[in-house]
Amino acid sequence: MACRVRGRQDRVLVCEECDTVWEGDAAPRGTPPYVILEEYLARFGLPGLWSELEWLEAAPLPEAIRHLAGGYFHQDHDLESGTPRQAVEAYRDEEPPEAVTALRVAITELLAAAPSERELVRLWLGQAGAAYDPRDDGITMSRWFGLVLKVMEERE
């Protein structure tokens, strides 16, 4: 997938399976020049996290998921909401019903497409820009989206 480091203009290609980075428009191949993602990001003083990447060629992520990530799971989310579940409940309780419905539909459609865990990580942390990684709490990404969906359905 084509991407760039957040805040930079350099275009790179990244293999989602092996974390290999090819700089510029170099075609992916099994011999150098290539570098591992963690090493590449370290050049810029960044941690080797997928969330440091901005994906250039990706299916559009529904605005409802972006809004949940950016508005309720920004870098200070734990100071404002306490637990991740409380942040999701705040979204459910504070946003208008049509926003809650849009999020339910977006997550239902996302999970129906059966994306890989890695793809869900890329969507949530990379494309949506969430600062909360459910895997830090021992929750898989598919389970996380399922939990968000369940909380949204509790409003009905």
Side-chain angles (χ1 to χ4, degrees):
M1 297 284 299
C3 60
R4 66 175 165 235
V5 177
R6 291 189 184 277
R8 298 186 51 86
Q9 296 303 313
D10 313 17
R11 178 185 156 97
V12 296
L13 298 175
V14 181
C15 172
E16 295 182 70
E17 297 298 319
C18 66
D19 295 353
T20 302
V21 175
W22 293 269
E23 298 182 58
D25 293 318
R29 58 185 191 183
T31 59
Y34 62 81
V35 66
I36 302 302
L37 178 64
E38 191 171 298
E39 295 169 11
Y40 179 75
L41 292 173
R43 292 181 191 172
F44 309 109
L46 299 170
L49 303 175
W50 282 90
S51 59
E52 297 295 339
L53 301 176
E54 178 180 335
W55 299 91
L56 302 176
E57 298 171 5
L61 187 65
E63 180 56 36
I65 294 175
R66 285 184 191 275
H67 182 59
L68 174 67
Y72 292 81
F73 288 96
H74 49 75
Q75 64 186 11
D76 296 325
H77 73 89
D78 55 336
L79 300 175
E80 294 180 9
S81 300
T83 69
R85 180 179 173 89
Q86 289 171 327
V88 174
E89 289 171 346
Y91 180 98
R92 179 198 63 205
D93 297 342
E94 295 170 5
E95 295 298 320
E98 55 272 11
V100 173
T101 298
L103 183 60
R104 283 182 36 241
V105 169
I107 292 174
T108 299
E109 290 175 354
L110 175 64
L111 295 177
S116 68
E117 286 295 309
R118 186 164 207 131
E119 177 69 5
L120 290 173
V121 168
R122 186 183 67 76
L123 291 171
W124 180 246
L125 299 177
Q127 204 174 345
Y132 169 66
D133 186 342
R135 298 171 304 163
D136 292 341
D137 292 329
I139 302 170
T140 65
M141 294 305 295
S142 54
R143 179 158 165 69
W144 166 247
F145 280 108
L147 292 170
V148 172
L149 184 59
K150 181 179 178 189
V151 171
M152 292 304 112
E153 290 171 344
E154 290 172 359
R155 182 176 192 175
E156 297 179 55

